[in-house]
Amino acid sequence: MAASTTGIHLRSGSRVLRDGVELLSSMRFAISLLTLICIASVIGTVVRQNEPATNYVNQFGPFWSQLFTTVGLTRVYSAWWFLLILAFLVVSTTLCIVRNTPKILADLRQYKEHVREQSLLSFHHRGEADLAETPEQAFARVSQVLGGRGWRAKVQERREGGEWRGTMIAARKGAVNKLGYIAAHAAIVLICIGGLFDGDLIVRAQMLWQGKTAYNGSGLVRDVPAEHRLGPGTPTFRGNIEVPEGGRRGTAILSQQDGVVLQDLPFDIELKKFIVEYYETGMPKLFASEVVIHDHDTGAAVPATVKVNEPAFHRGVAIYQSSFDDGGSQLKLRALPLSAGEKGFELDSAVGTSGALPLEKDKLTVEFTGLRVINVENMQPTANGTDVRKVDLVDSLQSHLGSGAKARADKALRNVGASFSYKLRDAAGQAREFNNYMAPVEMDGQRLFLAGVRDTPAESFRYLRIPVDDNDGLERWLHLRAALQDPARREAAAQRYGRLAAPSRQPEMAPQLATMTRLALDLFAGALPPAEGQPAIGGLPGLSQYLEVKVPEAERPRISEVMLRVLGGSLYELVNLDRAAAGQPPLADTAATQAWMTQAMLSLSDSQFYPAPVILELMDYTQVQASVFQVARAPGKTLVYLGCVALIVGVFAMLYVRERRLWIWLQPAQGGGTHLRTAMSTARRTLDADAEFDTLKQALLKGPSA
């Protein structure tokens, strides 16, 4: 029996009802629904699900992100249309089963022993022969051959006028092929019902029944009102719960499209210890949590270990190890001033907290978002050093205010220590994200302090690279920057460089060199606009724009080289003047000093565009880990598991088990003995079927010697 693609045909009712029932119960409709589910699943894989709205805006833009959110592409598996497709698929497949199962079961009970003996001659697989044995002997031998080969048979004695005319043996094999159809379709129903049970459908229904609403505010979990909470008796849910080391939590967060719903658990999870191990690349290879589960009803404390793919179970709730996060690490910070008039200060805070910075001019709020203790970076040095004479400042800024670790063909992976991240939010609510390393990082033979910044989460961090002094500190660079902002010290450095740089035979050039030095320092410090009517820029871009306005294009390479040499020399004198005022000896004229001055000039230029009045430096920390668990009560998973088993069995039965039917006709031969005629039918003609029938025919037609 071949399965029909048509549906149930009602004999009464309106034509619309009859057509609707036929379509809903047809196989073609079920296949169409499966195709839609596959397309939706592909979308749900390509588009990240349940992300914050800002992530979609950054990735797709305002229009498309709003469209995707409206039609539910950002929450495909809980969208109303996806659940509706699942529901229709359940109904359609169930009707297909109801329509075809009686026919299949009836066909399983039929051996078709009433077939006429003459019709056996029209089969492709057929054979006949006269056997030198009595009909009783032939019947016994045939029965033995069929039983030994796994054929189930039914016998019909045919008589004519009261006399025996012959015996029809109808046999079949591979009947499980028909059951595979039922198993495969039942599997689809079970999996879809299990998915509906374990999805958001039950949670939404319970929220509607109990009058609960989603919460889209902020604050502590304990302060969320009861109208946004579900009780411990919720039959099915899936949410996340974050527990810091030494902490105890008993409320999970269920994400909804318009906010979150809190799910109270029948127990608390206490995190005793979080264990994490890393590969040499810095990626975690193992993380596990040693927890104690405190039952609310019995008061029992049950210890357990939760690992990835090894959940713990309690009161019908599975506890999975999802990820890990910072649990409120303590941070000891120092603020390094960049703007004139600001003073440095120290700050003690913790990850997850926020507060106002004590600044003189700007009103900024700091939000500490994370601490990363291990940072494995590729520290392979570059082949070429930095050319300070290069005046292509766009490329210079992209190179020196770029990634903290450039990608290279060869890799030298090394843990460069801890880093922490924070956000600075202005009075208008706009925020930028910062990420600073704690220890200096050695790059291209220099030790640098890396201070990263990005405007949106969709961007990569751009790093300000500040060279450290002999004590791995930033004091020398900070003093140089403060001196650069002081007009009196710039003037003193310009006069000193003019005297030292003037040739001994031409001392009258000293004032001219001092004037050029003063111009370079003022442009670099941002105290002088590059052209009339333009704002002061500062840094190397200020010099670049000045040269573009004042110097002919043919002379720019030569003049720019002279200006950079003058700038480098005057910054060196500015450092020595500051050291002399502090009673320190001048810097030694060594290769290390020259490398430090080169990087200092680049970082001073980049710092003109650093979008904050201070840089926060991490002095010390006390790490507190937190484990993120996914807690789920999923009664539908049993149905899903059964559906998976049924699907495997059904597909295997339909694809790898062939149903065969065999007929053997025994009748008296004219010259004595028995005449045997046999034929076999199969759904598909294959080489295996041909070989099987040839073997069977030889066993049946050879006679007693076989």
Side-chain angles (χ1 to χ4, degrees):
M1 184 203 75
S4 174
T5 59
T6 61
I8 298 174
H9 294 277
L10 296 180
R11 297 183 179 180
S12 61
S14 64
R15 182 171 181 177
V16 175
L17 177 61
R18 295 197 307 270
D19 292 344
V21 172
E22 191 278 330
L23 176 63
L24 187 60
S25 60
S26 64
M27 186 181 297
R28 65 182 186 277
F29 185 67
I31 294 175
S32 300
L33 293 176
L34 276 175
T35 303
L36 292 177
I37 289 178
C38 291
I39 295 174
S41 300
V42 170
I43 296 174
T45 302
V46 174
V47 179
R48 291 186 176 182
Q49 301 293 290
N50 303 320
E51 293 281 325
T54 54
N55 291 8
Y56 297 112
V57 174
N58 295 330
Q59 184 176 2
F60 302 110
F63 174 77
W64 290 108
S65 63
Q66 180 65 33
L67 179 62
F68 290 171
T69 303
T70 302
V71 300
L73 298 185
T74 59
R75 301 176 60 88
V76 168
Y77 306 111
S78 59
W80 65 268
W81 52 266
F82 185 82
L83 299 177
L84 185 63
I85 292 175
L86 283 181
F88 270 112
L89 182 60
V90 169
V91 174
S92 178
T93 309
T94 302
L95 291 176
C96 287
I97 296 174
V98 171
R99 175 172 55 88
N100 291 302
T101 297
K103 301 177 184 178
I104 293 174
L105 296 179
D107 188 67
L108 289 176
R109 293 192 295 266
Q110 294 178 1
Y111 285 82
K112 300 183 179 180
E113 68 277 9
H114 300 288
V115 67
R116 293 185 303 139
E117 60 270 19
Q118 291 84 0
S119 64
L120 299 183
L121 298 175
S122 62
F123 283 79
H124 173 75
H125 296 104
R126 64 183 182 273
E128 58 182 329
D130 291 330
L131 307 176
E133 54 186 344
T134 65
E136 291 78 9
Q137 292 173 337
F139 178 81
R141 184 177 59 82
V142 168
S143 299
Q144 184 178 4
V145 171
L146 295 180
R149 296 174 184 266
W151 290 82
R152 300 181 62 183
K154 188 174 183 180
V155 180
Q156 183 188 58
E157 297 281 348
R158 296 184 180 179
R159 297 182 180 272
E160 188 174 309
E163 295 184 1
W164 179 76
R165 189 169 62 87
T167 300
M168 179 64 73
I169 302 174
R172 68 181 303 168
K173 194 176 183 180
V176 72
N177 174 270
K178 290 287 195 301
L179 298 177
Y181 174 89
I182 300 176
H185 284 68
I188 296 176
V189 174
L190 291 174
I191 292 173
C192 290
I193 292 177
L196 290 172
F197 279 168
D198 292 346
D200 285 348
L201 186 63
I202 303 299
V203 173
R204 293 182 184 180
Q206 183 145 343
M207 290 174 59
L208 183 63
W209 179 262
Q210 298 180 2
K212 305 293 185 179
T213 58
Y215 180 73
N216 53 17
S218 60
L220 300 177
V221 171
R222 64 172 179 267
D223 298 331
V224 176
E227 59 265 23
H228 308 300
R229 293 176 177 268
L230 294 175
T234 305
T236 175
F237 61 84
R238 186 178 299 272
N240 294 321
I241 180 172
E242 180 177 318
V243 185
E245 281 185 328
R248 179 170 166 175
R249 301 287 188 273
T251 303
I253 298 176
L254 313 184
S255 297
Q256 299 293 312
Q257 187 170 3
D258 51 349
V260 298
V261 176
L262 302 187
Q263 173 64 57
D264 292 328
L265 302 176
F267 53 83
D268 286 351
I269 302 175
E270 180 184 3
L271 180 60
K272 288 294 187 181
K273 184 179 181 181
F274 179 76
I275 305 167
V276 60
E277 298 178 4
Y278 296 90
Y279 292 104
E280 63 178 7
T281 59
M283 296 296 293
K285 66 177 180 180
L286 168 68
F287 47 96
S289 301
E290 296 180 359
V291 302
V292 177
I293 302 173
H294 299 271
D295 192 279
H296 291 171
D297 294 339
T298 64
V302 182
T305 300
V306 183
K307 299 180 181 179
V308 177
N309 298 326
E310 296 182 19
F313 296 90
H314 188 76
R315 300 279 297 274
V317 178
I319 305 171
Y320 299 92
Q321 181 71 62
S322 176
S323 62
F324 60 93
D325 206 343
D326 194 282
S329 298
Q330 302 297 314
L331 306 177
K332 186 176 181 61
L333 307 167
R334 182 178 66 156
L336 309 176
L338 294 181
S339 297
E342 295 291 353
K343 298 180 180 179
F345 55 88
E346 294 185 353
L347 185 64
D348 292 332
S349 190
V351 174
T353 63
S354 61
L357 288 179
L359 301 174
E360 295 292 335
K361 299 180 179 179
D362 300 282
K363 293 183 178 180
L364 297 175
T365 300
V366 60
E367 303 169 4
F368 297 100
T369 56
L371 170 69
R372 188 173 179 180
V373 176
I374 295 179
N375 288 276
V376 177
E377 302 284 5
N378 179 18
M379 308 309 297
Q380 181 71 25
T382 57
N384 300 321
T386 303
D387 184 2
V388 299
R389 297 170 297 176
K390 188 174 183 180
V391 196
D392 188 353
L393 297 175
V394 174
D395 290 344
S396 176
L397 287 176
Q398 290 177 349
S399 173
H400 296 286
L401 198 57
S403 172
K406 298 291 185 182
R408 303 182 175 96
D410 299 327
K411 292 185 177 181
L413 300 177
R414 188 171 74 247
N415 178 22
V416 297
S419 66
F420 77 107
S421 56
Y422 60 95
K423 293 181 180 179
L424 291 182
R425 194 176 300 274
D426 58 22
Q430 300 295 321
R432 286 189 176 92
E433 189 175 2
F434 298 82
N435 183 73
N436 297 345
Y437 286 81
M438 179 180 183
V441 178
E442 186 171 344
M443 301 178 65
D444 300 335
Q446 282 189 299
R447 295 180 60 78
L448 306 173
F449 176 81
L450 301 181
V453 59
R454 65 182 179 186
D455 297 326
T456 65
E459 299 177 357
S460 299
F461 280 104
R462 309 180 305 276
Y463 284 88
L464 175 63
R465 306 178 182 189
I466 305 176
V468 298
D469 52 31
D470 298 335
N471 298 322
D472 277 351
L474 301 176
E475 281 71 16
R476 182 191 298 172
W477 185 86
L478 291 173
H479 289 167
L480 174 58
R481 196 176 191 282
L484 184 65
Q485 300 298 322
D486 187 350
R489 284 189 278 184
R490 288 200 306 270
E491 177 64 27
Q495 295 295 336
R496 180 170 177 173
Y497 179 79
R499 292 193 304 271
L500 296 176
S504 57
R505 296 180 180 180
Q506 295 177 305
E508 65 278 4
M509 292 185 61
Q512 183 180 356
L513 288 174
T515 301
M516 179 181 294
T517 303
R518 185 185 311 109
L519 175 64
L521 286 174
D522 288 346
L523 289 170
F524 189 76
L528 183 68
E532 187 73 24
Q534 294 184 0
I537 299 176
L540 296 178
L543 285 175
S544 176
Q545 289 197 14
Y546 176 82
L547 294 176
E548 290 178 359
V549 173
K550 300 293 185 179
V551 179
E553 184 176 359
E555 296 293 324
R556 287 176 194 169
R558 183 179 63 84
I559 300 300
S560 62
E561 182 176 353
V562 173
M563 290 286 285
L564 285 176
R565 288 181 177 177
V566 168
L567 179 62
S570 60
L571 290 176
Y572 179 75
E573 298 305 327
L574 198 59
V575 172
N576 286 331
L577 285 174
D578 185 75
R579 292 175 64 86
Q584 298 176 349
L587 288 177
D589 188 9
T590 62
T593 299
Q594 293 176 5
W596 188 93
M597 290 301 308
T598 299
Q599 185 60 46
M601 181 175 65
L602 294 172
S603 60
L604 287 172
S605 174
D606 295 340
S607 68
Q608 302 286 339
F609 309 97
Y610 191 77
V614 293
I615 297 177
L616 296 183
E617 181 184 12
L618 180 62
M619 306 302 296
D620 197 5
Y621 64 87
T622 301
Q623 187 183 24
V624 179
Q625 296 272 31
S627 190
V628 180
F629 300 103
Q630 184 182 84
V631 291
R633 177 178 285 155
K637 71 177 181 180
T638 304
L639 295 177
V640 174
Y641 292 157
L642 290 176
C644 291
V645 173
L647 185 61
I648 293 172
V649 172
V651 171
F652 182 85
M654 289 191 296
L655 295 181
Y656 299 103
V657 178
R658 293 174 292 106
E659 184 187 25
R660 289 92 74 201
R661 289 183 180 272
L662 180 70
W663 292 271
I664 302 172
W665 171 249
L666 300 174
Q667 67 180 27
Q670 292 182 357
T674 304
H675 182 77
L676 186 149
R677 181 181 298 166
T678 183
M680 188 181 78
S681 70
T682 181
R684 297 185 303 273
R685 288 180 53 184
T686 61
L687 295 176
D688 290 340
D690 295 342
E692 182 182 21
F693 182 73
D694 290 340
T695 303
L696 184 61
K697 184 170 66 173
Q698 291 178 8
L700 292 173
L701 302 181
K702 274 187 176 181
S705 61

